[in-house]
């Protein structure tokens, strides 16, 4: 069974940093590209970042480019999202999602990030 | 990065069919056959319902079907059931911007 478990969310002041983690199990993690997708309270889904299975290609949404860094450790079956210079509008539930042929076939339960002064 | 345009809400009675449109541009929906649809029930995680415009993952009811014409993709739910009440999001690969989601459509079963 595919399992994705996010962690690292919490309350943070504007300008602060936070690192999210996603622990993967139940599939060959190193063979799949991965994504972060977020959802602000009461709002729709927004794709955030993508990393190819071999770490060869990384892409970001314009809204987070230059502030967020996606990375992965295939030996640890883990995906990460380093979030710096956080803003109020980064408040959201952050999901890690497995990428299979350019769609998201498995999602974690999400971790809530709240940016507030 | 703009979002794909979906109607805010659609509704139908049990047994009826509803169709949700998802309009993009020739750079995303119109260019790639990589449109997917996600169902999100209240308080739940999004679930993949359709991928590559028309394909259904194992376990998804055949009452759900997808199509595309030009820059607009569509999701049709046939034989509407109470359990179909949820928010639905389309998503398209868009190369430079990578992925674009629609603004979401709330499906209400009357």
């Amino acid at each position: 069974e595919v399992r994705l478990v996010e962690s690292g969310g919490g309350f943070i002041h504007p300008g602060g940093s936070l690192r999210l983690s996603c622990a993967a199990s139940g599939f060959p993690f190193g063979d799949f590209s991965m994504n972060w997708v977020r959802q602000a309270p009461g709002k729709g889904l927004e794709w955030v970042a993508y990393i190819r299975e071999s770490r060869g290609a990384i892409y970001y949404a314009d809204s987070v480019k230059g502030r967020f860094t996606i990375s992965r450790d295939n030996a640890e079956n883990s995906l990460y999202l380093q979030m710096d210079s956080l803003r109020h509008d980064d408040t959201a539930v952050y999901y890690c999602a497995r990428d299979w042929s350019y769609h998201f076939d498995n999602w974690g339960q999400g971790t809530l990030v709240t940016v507030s002064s | 990065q703009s979002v794909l345009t979906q109607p805010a809400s659609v509704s139908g009675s049990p047994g009826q069919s509803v169709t949700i449109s998802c309009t993009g541009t020739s750079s995303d929906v119109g260019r790639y056959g990589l449109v997917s649809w996600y169902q999100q029930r209240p308080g739940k995680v999004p679930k993949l319902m359709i991928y590559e415009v028309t394909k259904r993952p194992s376990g998804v009811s055949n009452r759900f079907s997808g199509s595309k014409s030009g820059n607009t993709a569509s999701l049709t739910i046939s034989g509407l059931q109470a359990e179909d009440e949820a928010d639905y999001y389309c998503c398209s690969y868009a190369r430079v911007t990578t992925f674009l989601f629609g603004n979401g459509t709330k499906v209400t079963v009357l």
Side-chain angles (χ1 to χ4, degrees):
Chain A
E1 178 196 3
V2 173
R3 188 168 161 82
L4 299 168
V5 180
E6 301 92 337
S7 60
F11 182 95
I12 190 78
H13 292 301
S17 297
L18 214 52
R19 189 194 197 208
L20 306 183
S21 300
C22 172
S25 61
F27 67 101
F29 179 72
D31 290 349
F32 287 83
S33 299
M34 297 293 294
N35 295 268
W36 287 98
V37 178
R38 69 183 180 182
Q39 186 170 34
K43 303 297 184 182
L45 300 171
E46 179 188 16
W47 169 79
V48 173
Y50 163 98
I51 185 168
R52 195 161 288 170
E53 60 274 15
S54 61
R55 290 188 287 178
I58 289 176
Y59 303 105
Y60 298 97
D62 287 346
S63 58
V64 307
K65 202 173 292 183
R67 301 187 300 120
F68 289 12
T69 303
I70 188 172
S71 62
R72 64 189 297 162
D73 184 336
N74 289 344
E76 294 292 326
N77 292 335
S78 293
L79 176 72
Y80 304 101
L81 186 68
Q82 176 67 40
M83 304 186 297
D84 298 319
S85 303
L86 282 161
R87 309 187 305 217
H88 290 288
D89 61 359
D90 293 319
T91 294
V93 173
Y94 285 74
Y95 297 101
C96 69
R98 192 177 79 166
D99 188 295
W100 179 49
S101 189
Y102 303 103
H103 56 269
F104 313 118
D105 68 339
N106 283 273
W107 299 63
Q109 290 299 309
T111 186
L112 176 61
V113 172
T114 303
V115 184
S116 176
S117 49
Chain B
Q1 287 159 321
S2 56
V3 299
L4 306 176
T5 300
Q6 299 179 231
S9 63
V10 298
S11 61
S13 299
Q16 288 186 329
S17 294
V18 295
T19 296
I20 304 167
S21 61
C22 170
T23 301
T25 69
S26 57
S27 296
D28 39 71
V29 174
R31 180 165 187 165
Y32 303 100
L34 295 170
V35 176
S36 51
W37 290 89
Y38 303 86
Q39 176 193 67
Q40 188 177 32
R41 293 189 173 117
K44 300 298 184 181
V45 174
K47 176 187 176 183
L48 177 67
M49 304 301 284
I50 295 288
Y51 65 99
E52 294 176 4
V53 180
T54 62
K55 298 178 181 178
R56 262 189 324 274
S58 174
V60 172
S61 170
N62 59 10
R63 297 185 298 104
F64 292 84
S65 62
S67 63
K68 189 183 85 163
S69 177
N71 298 334
T72 298
S74 299
L75 173 72
T76 298
I77 310 173
S78 305
L80 202 60
Q81 299 180 3
E83 66 193 46
D84 300 330
E85 195 158 282
D87 293 326
Y88 291 82
Y89 296 90
C90 64
C91 182
S92 176
Y93 176 69
R95 188 156 183 176
V96 173
T97 51
T98 310
F99 294 102
L100 290 173
F101 276 99
N103 50 293
T105 297
K106 182 176 182 62
V107 170
T108 301
V109 181
L110 301 172

